[in-house]
């Protein structure tokens, strides 16, 4: 669009920052001394300042002289469990003393502990506890959030969680994609009756979807979760409604979860530390994104790396997310997740940034964000950095100078 004639003023224009557009399949596609314009919630110009058709103040209602820094697409956190009540700091202490995640779960802790606290909270109380977590993610550059249910494990409380997730998006002015994760754990009242519980999960899905509360469906397919046959039933219920599926897959062992979600054309397989070469091939054929969750890897002190070389060799896109949850990844910064992905998984800073933008958007089935391109959503962040690698270099700190979602400045 360089040099294009503008017939209607843009709402905003930023000039004088470098742009990491992430166009194409490699590199930052950087533009120095760039200009980024938008009207409404869409980008209208991406290019060099010198290629603007007119003087900046004649092109846009608001013009910002950036005076340096970098602009990237808004970050997309494509895997969170941030709606919950209470915390599990006590379990953190137990793990430091050598108790395993699986043992804690078998003792009645883990997910079921958070279920009890979440069930006891009213919808407004749950919102009040969850909003600060979402606000922290947004303040550090996230402009799209995925939020799962899964700490209610009955119809009313799963519905409550999904309603709170929608209210978070409305409160903060960001898009929240909701994922129904009724098949997260077996509630106490169904112990020994997992198949019966899966019946209920499949019954809850249509009315929740009819209320506009479900954008995708997930499950926890692990030896302490649900088996492949039970997961398949949940996916078949989702397919009947035309809902995309994703899966907590192969985190604790190779359970063929990645292959199963790929069989259903799933948008993502998440964790994937133990995914086999056959599972990677199935993901590649299906176009399923591998969502890396280094926060859980870090907190649980895991040692089994995801099959990163195989993902690269077979062209499986790799996303990065916080997995923000009270038990295994109490992580409130997607930028910190990027840093952990570089440190633990040896991703390059460019891979990590793509993982938290364009590939994360793909993991949510979204093709209207994740890069700086005319016509995409005006979701972008202006960072106080001299080079993009700093987003993965600094451990903490406030680097975001301004965060915009849909053309609206959030911070």
């Amino acid at each position: 669009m360089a040099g294009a004639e503008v017939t209607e003023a843009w709402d905003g224009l930023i000039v004088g920052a470098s742009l990491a557009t992430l166009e194409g399949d490699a590199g930052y596609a950087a533009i120095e001394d760039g200009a980024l314009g938008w009207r409404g919630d869409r980008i209208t110009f991406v290019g060099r300042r010198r290629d603007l058709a007119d003087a900046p103040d004649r092109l846009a209602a608001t013009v910002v002289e950036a005076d340096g820094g970098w602009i990237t697409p808004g970050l997309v956190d494509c895997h969170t469990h941030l709606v919950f009540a209470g915390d599990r700091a006590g379990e953190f202490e137990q793990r430091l003393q050598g108790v395993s995640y699986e043992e804690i779960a078998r003792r009645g802790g883990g997910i079921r502990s958070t279920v009890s606290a979440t069930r006891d909270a009213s919808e407004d109380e749950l919102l009040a506890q969850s909003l600060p977590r979402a606000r922290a993610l947004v303040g550090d550059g996230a402009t799209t959030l995925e939020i799962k249910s899964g700490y209610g494990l009955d119809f009313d409380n799963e519905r409550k969680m999904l309603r709170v997730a929608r209210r978070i998006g409305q409160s903060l002015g960001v898009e929240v994609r909701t994922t129904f994760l009724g098949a997260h754990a077996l509630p106490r009242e169904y112990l020994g009756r997992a198949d019966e519980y899966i019946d209920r999960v499949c019954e809850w899905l249509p009315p929740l979807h009819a209320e506009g509360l479900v954008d995708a469906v997930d499950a926890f397919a692990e030896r302490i979760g649900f088996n492949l046959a039970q997961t398949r039933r949940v996916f078949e219920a989702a397919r009947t409604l035309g809902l995309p599926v994703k899966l907590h897959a192969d985190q604790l062992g190779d359970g063929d979860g990645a292959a199963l979600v790929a069989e259903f054309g799933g948008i993502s397989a998440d964790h994937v530390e133990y995914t086999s070469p056959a599972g990677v091939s199935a993901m590649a054929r299906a176009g399923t994104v591998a969502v890396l969750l280094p926060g859980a890897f870090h907190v649980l002190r895991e040692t089994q790396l995801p099959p990163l070389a195989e993902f690269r060799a077979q062209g499986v896109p790799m996303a990065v997310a916080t997995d923000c949850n009270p038990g295994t990844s109490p992580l409130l910064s997607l930028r910190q997740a990027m840093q952990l992905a570089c440190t633990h998984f040896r991703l390059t800073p460019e891979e990590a940034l793509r993982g938290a933008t364009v590939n994360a958007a793909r993991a949510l089935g979204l093709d209207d964000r994740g890069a700086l391109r005319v016509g995409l959503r005006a979701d972008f962040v202006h960072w106080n950095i001299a080079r993009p690698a700093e987003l993965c270099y600094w451990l903490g700190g406030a680097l975001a100078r301004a965060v915009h979602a849909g053309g609206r400045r959030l911070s």
Side-chain angles (χ1 to χ4, degrees):
M1 188 172 169
E5 181 180 356
V6 178
T7 59
E8 181 180 348
W10 302 330
D11 293 330
L13 175 65
I14 297 179
V15 295
S18 296
L19 310 180
T21 71
L22 302 185
E23 285 282 68
D25 296 326
Y28 296 111
I31 299 174
E32 296 183 0
D33 193 21
L36 180 71
W38 67 94
R39 183 186 301 118
D41 65 354
R42 298 289 148 175
I43 295 173
T44 53
F45 183 89
V46 180
R48 298 173 296 183
R49 186 209 306 243
R50 69 188 187 200
D51 290 331
L52 290 169
D54 208 334
D57 59 359
R58 296 182 59 181
L59 293 171
T62 300
V63 179
V64 175
E65 175 58 60
D67 192 27
W70 279 76
I71 294 174
T72 72
L75 305 184
V76 177
D77 199 344
C78 64
H79 183 129
T80 86
H81 304 255
L82 69 83
V83 171
F84 59 85
D87 66 63
R88 300 201 328 244
E91 294 179 12
F92 175 68
E93 292 182 291
Q94 290 181 55
R95 287 197 302 273
L96 292 177
Q97 295 165 6
V99 184
S100 73
Y101 174 51
E102 291 185 65
E103 179 59 28
I104 289 171
R106 296 188 193 283
R107 291 178 183 179
I111 293 169
R112 292 192 186 102
S113 172
T114 299
V115 169
S116 295
T118 302
R119 286 179 172 181
D120 288 343
S122 70
E123 184 174 315
D124 286 343
E125 289 169 342
L126 194 55
L127 177 66
Q129 292 190 48
S130 303
L131 257 178
R133 294 187 282 267
R135 191 173 285 118
L137 291 169
V138 171
D140 207 24
T143 55
T144 301
L145 303 174
E146 186 259 15
I147 301 178
K148 303 178 191 296
S149 67
Y151 294 131
L153 306 187
D154 62 30
F155 179 80
D156 289 339
N157 285 293
E158 289 291 293
R159 180 175 181 269
K160 177 177 68 178
M161 290 187 67
L162 293 167
R163 284 173 53 85
V164 168
R166 289 285 192 235
R167 290 176 66 183
I168 286 172
Q170 295 162 3
S171 296
L172 299 185
V174 299
E175 183 167 354
V176 168
R177 304 293 289 182
T178 53
T179 298
F180 174 59
L181 182 56
H184 195 196
L186 192 63
R188 288 186 176 91
E189 61 268 29
Y190 280 91
L191 289 181
R193 297 183 292 139
D195 286 330
E196 185 179 343
Y197 177 69
I198 291 296
D199 289 340
R200 302 290 85 75
V201 168
C202 295
E203 290 171 3
W204 300 338
L205 182 54
L208 292 172
H209 177 51
E211 285 191 49
L213 294 175
V214 181
D215 296 317
V217 174
D218 195 352
F220 186 48
E222 293 286 353
R223 55 181 175 262
I224 60 172
F226 297 95
N227 62 38
L228 292 186
Q230 292 158 347
T231 302
R232 180 181 293 276
R233 289 171 56 200
V234 174
F235 282 1
E236 288 170 346
R239 183 161 59 185
T240 298
L241 297 170
L243 287 167
V245 296
K246 54 180 62 181
L247 187 64
H248 286 65
D250 307 331
Q251 178 187 11
L252 305 176
D254 179 16
D256 291 325
L260 176 66
V261 72
E263 177 189 332
F264 279 80
I267 50 179
S268 73
D270 302 29
H271 288 290
V272 294
E273 280 93 334
Y274 286 87
T275 296
S276 67
V280 174
S281 296
M283 292 172 65
R285 290 191 299 270
T288 301
V289 177
V291 177
L292 308 180
L293 302 174
F297 184 93
H298 177 78
V299 170
L300 293 175
R301 295 184 293 176
E302 296 286 359
T303 58
Q304 175 69 36
L305 293 173
L308 303 165
E310 290 83 355
F311 288 146
R312 292 185 181 108
Q314 299 201 41
V316 174
M318 293 183 289
V320 176
T322 62
D323 192 18
C324 173
N325 75 73
T328 61
S329 188
L331 180 55
L332 297 177
S333 166
L334 182 49
R335 190 170 57 78
Q336 183 68 69
M338 293 161 57
Q339 201 282 336
L340 291 173
C342 292
T343 300
H344 289 307
F345 299 160
R346 299 296 192 268
L347 263 62
T348 67
E350 179 206 330
E351 285 179 318
L353 180 56
R354 286 183 175 274
T357 53
V358 59
N359 288 343
R362 289 183 63 176
L364 296 179
L366 301 173
D367 60 5
D368 65 344
R369 68 201 69 193
L372 301 180
R373 184 191 317 142
V374 171
L376 296 190
R377 274 181 59 88
D379 292 353
F380 58 90
V381 185
H382 185 197
W383 304 94
N384 285 317
I385 56 176
R387 57 188 58 82
E390 288 187 56
L391 296 176
C392 300
Y393 166 71
W394 293 106
L395 287 163
L399 300 185
R401 187 186 303 186
V403 180
H404 286 73
R408 176 172 168 268
R409 181 166 178 171
L410 304 180
S411 65

